[in-house]
Amino acid sequence: MSKESFFLVFVASGVFPISLSYGLFPSQSLVYLYDIEVTNTNLKNIFRAIMGLYISLVAFWIMGARYKSLQLPALWSLTIFMLGLAVGRLLSLVIDGLPYPPFVLYMVLEFLFAAVGYKFIHGLNQRQGL
């Protein structure tokens, strides 16, 4: 397994349980994990849609790890996804203040994963002469 494939599987294996924590049982998990009360069907729908989005990206990253032709697009999607999450969290930190410590850790990891993803993209492009 290439280091790029390992990275895709590694990140996917971390994002998958997070997706379930958002959408599998949002009324129970979100209040327990994040002190967020999900009290109506609309909120459940939103969090389950987020779960579906995360799971679909996880599936794509796993396919990118398995199929060489999808590796570069999977790395791009992972990098953009992580950077988007991290920048959104940073914006919230600046505007809203300091969140729970796990969210700060998530932000640091998201920036790190985006940087590593970009490094792999750059390396693949150099090897392919792009």
Side-chain angles (χ1 to χ4, degrees), residues 4-109:
E4 294 86 0
S5 292
F6 177 81
F7 177 68
L8 286 163
V9 170
F10 177 76
V11 174
S13 67
V15 170
F16 182 71
I18 292 170
S19 73
L20 296 180
S21 76
Y22 288 153
L24 196 58
F25 302 107
S27 296
Q28 292 81 30
S29 62
L30 293 174
V31 72
Y32 174 75
L33 293 170
Y34 307 121
D35 198 24
I36 298 171
E37 288 197 42
V38 178
T39 57
N40 63 53
T41 302
N42 293 334
L43 280 173
K44 289 177 188 174
N45 183 275
I46 290 167
F47 281 107
R48 288 199 169 114
I50 292 169
M51 177 185 70
L53 176 62
Y54 277 42
I55 290 172
S56 66
L57 284 167
V58 163
F60 184 53
W61 301 338
I62 297 295
M63 287 188 293
R66 172 74 175 91
Y67 300 105
K68 195 76 167 162
S69 63
L70 294 177
Q71 193 171 68
L72 190 58
L75 284 167
W76 270 113
S77 71
L78 184 148
T79 301
I80 292 166
F81 177 79
M82 289 295 161
L83 190 58
L85 290 174
V87 168
R89 290 186 200 279
L90 181 62
L91 182 63
S92 176
L93 196 144
V94 169
I95 294 171
D96 307 319
L98 198 61
Y100 283 178
F103 292 121
V104 176
L105 175 61
Y106 292 167
M107 181 184 67
V108 169
L109 290 172

